Amino acid sequence: MPDTTLTPDPSHVAEGHPSSDDAAGYYTPGTPLTDTKAPGGPIADRWQTRKFEARLVNPANRRKLDVIIVGTGLAGASAAATMGEAGYNVKSFCYQDSPRRAHSIAAQGGINAAKNYKEDGDSAHRLFYDTVKGGDYRSRESNVYRLAEVSVNIIDQCVAQGVPFAREYGGLLDNRSFGGVQVSRTFYARGQTGQQLLIGAYQALERQVAAGTVETFTRHEMLELIVVDDGDGPRARGIIVRDMVTGEIETHLADVVVLASGGYGNVFFLSTNAMGCNVTAAWRAHRKGAYMANPCYTQIHPTCIPVTGSHQSKLTLMSESLRNDGRIWVPKKKEDCDKDPRSIAEEDRDYFLERIYPSFGNLVPRDIASRAAKYMCDEGRGVGPEVDGVRRGVYLDFQDAIARLGKEGVEEKYDNLLDMYERITGENPYEVPMRIYPAVHYVMGGLWVDYDLQSTIPGLFVTGEANFSDHGANRLGASALMQGLADGYFVLPHTIRDYLADAPFEKIPEDHPAVVEAKQAVTERIEHFLTVNGTRSVDSYHRELGNIMWEYCGMERTEDGLKKAIDLIRSLKDDFYRNVKVLGTADSLNQSLEKAGRVADFFELGELMCIDALNRRESCGGHFRAESQTEDGEALRHDDQFAYVAAWEFAGEKPVLHKEELTYTAIEMKQRSYK
């Protein structure tokens, strides 16, 4: 194998540009889309310009305005706390039994901020550049620059809340590196960063609950968005929720609705997401007119504990921060793959990331590392137990780090992560190299929003992972926590007031036709699932859908595979509605019923993801089309044809595609290289 290449299938190497639309017939072309809220001028001035231009709401008027926020993760909790402190009347909803159970708690490795504490050349502009490059030039430059600009404020905010970031011996906040960058800008709290940040946001939220500005509704799941035309056009005016304990269907009305409901990685069934994570809140809004942007952009995380068999219902993430000190390798010879790794001599080990990408080594971006690991296993050099005849694992080895730092030094940085690994696998990572393999983690797609974070439905704002706006085709590590807190603390409170300056809007009664229709749709949907009385469980359908998505719309995609997936999903969806069996009743705690509604939405989302992937005949970030790769197996973009945001409008089986062209004035689009 050549020293500087991967080993792609030569029959898939692209020859020239795509000549036709693979998705023709699966969708309807729509009108172009523009972000009318994005300011012009020098990129460093745009956020300040927009904040000044946004209209104000005086304190007395804020007390008259009602705000609904769905989700209590970092984006939702920080937004609710900030809006409540500003004086708005906030209702906060989550399906967990406590806001502290939001999936943000599972984030491990850290949060980026351009503080340049290490004096290693970092800056807001460099963070902006790394993020746009890491996203393979498929994100909006204005949004990303704003994210980099406000990142420095997040750390100060969280330190003031008491978040116990790691510190150096002298007491200063410590930093480490993450994939896709050559500086140290990631702040962390061992391997519990998400948990500690969420506790900080939760405390801020609870302070406002005590002050009476925020009312929380736990164990309440949003099942429908209420959109009302008040004579000036449609507006989001409330939500229909189900009390998950009593089964009661409730109506909640407000002047504005904010979705902070997270991502949809569980469409793949096996992912690093909590089992409850779902797309229903966003998908119900999509069906009401909110465009879904770039749904096929899925992040595959390279550092997960490998699949061990069909008994699993989720996968466990090992933080990307481990790649700071751990070295990734596979045996050079296939016959060594079933040996004890400690018996394999140094000269017989292939540190493939360091070999192929010498400039970044083990800290290449997630999509690059994931694809390289897949290629090694496809060659037959994977390690660990065979699953379906293939070894899907590579080693992540800490022996060099232990020799350099001592076991105590490694424990200080990563002990809870390594302890988690040992509890799950039964192997001691201080003695035996860890085994990892890529898995579905984050999604860069989500509801389309403008610069103000408002969707195509006036009055519906979307924050955090639920929107598409900042990460392009691949999210850099430690940027999810950054975006969630940036949106909730520092962006949404400024932009939403421009919309609320026209409020309060006319009060909507609960017997309004739009409210009655939304509530009836929820009731009928529940009734359908409880009366089908088929023969298959919801989980069996979800697992089969996930297998289809992973096989045909996962790490690598082809035209034929995606078309096959669409047919398989449609057939399985039809069978699901005819043959699913949901036990229990509607007026009680019923997890089977909850899952049925979520999986029904996953079917529709999965189909749209495949259509979106089929339309985009290029490889960029985590979206790798086998027909579009360079001679040495790297992703090959086609900027002349696909430098756009794909924003899909719901229209049944043939969605409408609206393209938002991406233009760069502060950065030059280049083919990515980490060599």
Side-chain angles (χ1 to χ4, degrees):
M1 187 172 65
D3 281 347
T4 57
T5 63
L6 299 171
T7 53
D9 181 345
S11 66
H12 286 158
V13 175
E15 297 180 3
H17 292 328
S19 57
S20 61
D21 183 356
D22 294 342
Y26 288 91
Y27 75 96
T28 303
T31 55
L33 188 62
T34 57
D35 178 8
T36 58
K37 303 288 181 57
I43 195 165
D45 298 337
R46 292 176 188 174
W47 177 227
Q48 298 302 323
T49 299
R50 182 60 191 141
K51 283 197 292 185
F52 180 74
E53 290 177 347
R55 293 171 294 168
L56 302 176
V57 180
N58 79 57
N61 286 343
R62 292 176 211 158
R63 293 192 289 271
K64 304 173 186 175
L65 301 180
D66 299 322
V67 179
I68 284 174
I69 299 179
V70 180
T72 59
L74 289 181
S78 59
T82 309
M83 297 291 286
E85 190 167 18
Y88 298 97
N89 303 310
V90 179
K91 287 184 176 182
S92 171
F93 293 83
C94 67
Y95 67 78
Q96 297 92 345
D97 59 355
S98 165
R100 282 182 56 178
R101 299 251 186 206
H103 192 55
S104 299
I105 202 170
Q108 297 169 340
I111 177 170
N112 288 330
K115 287 285 199 181
N116 195 30
Y117 283 172
K118 296 287 188 181
E119 291 292 342
D120 54 2
D122 201 11
S123 65
H125 195 87
R126 188 173 296 279
L127 174 53
F128 155 67
Y129 172 79
D130 287 341
T131 305
V132 173
K133 178 185 176 184
D136 226 345
Y137 303 92
R138 291 295 179 262
S139 52
R140 288 198 195 122
E141 67 170 10
S142 292
N143 291 64
V144 178
Y145 196 93
R146 174 175 66 188
L147 179 64
E149 185 181 346
V150 304
S151 69
V152 296
N153 300 329
I154 297 171
I155 304 303
D156 297 337
Q157 172 90 2
C158 294
V159 168
Q161 290 175 339
V163 174
F165 286 120
R167 294 179 181 267
E168 296 177 327
Y169 179 77
L172 299 177
L173 296 182
D174 197 12
N175 294 127
R176 55 190 178 200
S177 293
F178 259 59
V181 304
Q182 293 175 305
V183 298
S184 295
R185 65 162 68 103
T186 303
F187 295 78
Y188 64 99
R190 291 199 173 181
Q192 311 170 359
T193 314
Q195 179 180 4
Q196 299 302 330
L197 290 171
L198 187 61
I199 289 172
Y202 170 74
Q203 289 175 156
L205 173 65
E206 288 301 304
R207 178 172 179 265
Q208 297 311 127
V209 171
T213 63
V214 177
E215 184 179 5
T216 55
F217 295 82
T218 59
R219 305 295 288 162
H220 281 69
E221 183 170 23
M222 172 183 162
L223 297 180
E224 193 58 85
L225 179 71
I226 298 170
V227 178
V228 176
D229 191 333
D230 58 5
D232 293 324
R235 297 182 189 270
R237 293 301 308 272
I239 59 175
I240 304 294
V241 299
R242 179 176 181 268
D243 183 321
M244 296 163 68
V245 177
T246 67
E248 183 180 355
I249 306 301
E250 302 175 4
T251 300
H252 294 269
L253 300 166
D255 293 289
V256 69
V257 176
V258 179
L259 296 187
S261 50
Y264 49 80
N266 274 352
V267 68
F268 290 89
F269 187 72
L270 283 180
S271 79
T272 67
N273 290 197
M275 287 301 294
C277 293
N278 62 84
V279 76
T280 292
W283 195 257
R284 295 289 105 192
H286 174 57
R287 290 181 64 100
K288 284 291 182 72
Y291 294 176
M292 180 68 74
N294 299 335
C296 80
Y297 281 168
T298 306
Q299 178 161 84
I300 311 296
H301 197 295
T303 320
C304 299
I305 298 178
V307 174
T308 56
S310 59
H311 60 282
Q312 289 172 283
S313 57
K314 78 175 298 294
L315 299 175
T316 303
L317 174 70
M318 288 285 102
S319 169
E320 183 180 330
S321 63
L322 295 173
R323 292 198 276 150
N324 270 278
D325 291 300
R327 299 179 71 195
I328 295 174
W329 63 277
V330 292
K332 289 182 178 178
K333 295 178 287 189
K334 295 181 182 179
E335 55 266 29
D336 287 345
C337 290
D338 60 352
K339 290 183 178 178
D340 185 321
R342 293 167 292 186
S343 70
I344 301 175
E346 186 71 17
E347 61 268 20
D348 293 327
R349 301 180 179 190
D350 180 8
Y351 295 93
F352 56 93
L353 292 179
E354 299 172 30
R355 171 175 57 82
I356 302 171
Y357 307 102
S359 292
F360 284 75
N362 293 298
L363 287 175
V364 292
R366 291 175 175 177
D367 59 319
I368 305 289
S370 295
R371 195 158 57 249
K374 178 182 184 295
Y375 285 149
M376 296 302 118
C377 296
D378 289 348
E379 281 182 21
R381 293 196 289 147
V383 298
E386 291 188 1
V387 177
D388 298 328
V390 182
R391 298 181 194 273
R392 295 291 183 191
V394 299
Y395 289 125
L396 177 61
D397 196 333
F398 274 85
Q399 292 312 300
D400 283 1
I402 291 172
R404 186 178 73 254
L405 303 171
K407 183 180 177 183
E408 295 77 13
V410 173
E411 284 179 337
E412 186 176 345
K413 289 184 174 182
Y414 310 113
D415 66 334
N416 64 307
L417 296 171
L418 301 183
D419 179 62
M420 186 194 312
Y421 179 87
E422 183 172 8
R423 287 171 181 266
I424 292 172
T425 65
E427 298 174 0
N428 185 340
Y430 294 101
E431 299 174 0
V432 182
M434 301 170 71
R435 286 176 292 106
I436 58 169
Y437 192 71
V440 172
H441 179 51
Y442 187 92
V443 292
M444 288 72 65
L447 293 180
W448 185 92
V449 291
D450 60 20
Y451 191 72
D452 283 359
L453 303 183
Q454 185 172 215
S455 73
T456 46
I457 300 176
L460 178 67
F461 289 75
V462 190
T463 62
E465 191 180 359
N467 75 32
F468 87 100
S469 67
D470 292 354
H471 304 299
N474 177 61
R475 178 176 67 75
L476 289 184
S479 289
L481 305 184
M482 176 174 62
Q483 187 208 348
L485 291 178
D487 284 356
Y489 281 136
F490 300 111
V491 178
L492 181 75
H494 288 290
T495 60
I496 199 171
R497 58 181 165 81
D498 186 68
Y499 176 80
L500 289 175
D502 293 326
F505 304 108
E506 180 182 348
K507 292 294 182 184
I508 303 297
E510 290 202 14
D511 61 356
H512 187 285
V515 178
V516 173
E517 180 186 354
K519 194 168 185 177
Q520 184 177 348
V522 169
T523 304
E524 290 175 354
R525 192 169 155 90
I526 290 172
E527 184 66 20
H528 170 79
F529 290 131
L530 289 172
T531 56
V532 172
N533 199 28
T535 60
R536 284 188 62 177
S537 69
V538 177
D539 280 343
S540 72
Y541 282 106
H542 192 184
R543 184 182 291 275
E544 187 172 345
L545 171 64
N547 289 339
I548 295 169
M549 295 300 297
W550 177 250
E551 182 69 25
Y552 300 111
C553 197
M555 292 182 71
E556 188 170 304
R557 304 137 187 216
T558 65
E559 177 185 352
D560 291 343
L562 289 165
K563 289 180 177 177
K564 180 178 181 180
I566 294 169
D567 290 340
L568 290 171
I569 292 169
R570 288 175 175 175
S571 175
L572 188 63
K573 180 176 68 173
D574 289 344
D575 188 72
F576 170 80
Y577 277 99
R578 291 195 311 266
N579 197 34
V580 71
K581 187 174 186 68
V582 177
L583 301 173
T585 62
D587 58 353
S588 63
L589 181 67
N590 190 339
Q591 292 187 319
S592 180
L593 177 60
E594 295 162 19
K595 291 178 183 177
R598 296 167 186 171
V599 172
D601 291 331
F602 278 143
F603 274 117
E604 295 183 3
L605 167 69
E607 184 177 330
L608 182 62
M609 290 172 69
C610 291
I611 294 173
D612 186 39
L614 193 58
N615 170 254
R616 192 173 287 275
R617 192 186 174 99
E618 67 165 353
S619 294
C620 58
H623 173 179
F624 193 76
R625 280 293 292 270
E627 300 92 342
S628 183
Q629 55 183 291
T630 63
E631 290 185 357
D632 58 358
E634 302 291 352
L636 179 63
R637 292 196 325 265
H638 297 296
D639 295 336
D640 56 336
Q641 298 186 55
F642 297 107
Y644 60 77
V645 175
W648 297 90
E649 179 184 358
F650 183 80
E653 282 202 354
K654 286 189 72 171
V656 179
L657 173 59
H658 302 271
K659 298 179 181 179
E660 179 198 341
E661 297 297 327
L662 292 169
T663 57
Y664 294 93
T665 61
I667 199 169
E668 181 184 354
M669 298 174 77
K670 299 177 181 178
Q671 194 69 25
R672 278 199 305 170
S673 174
Y674 293 92
K675 294 182 177 180

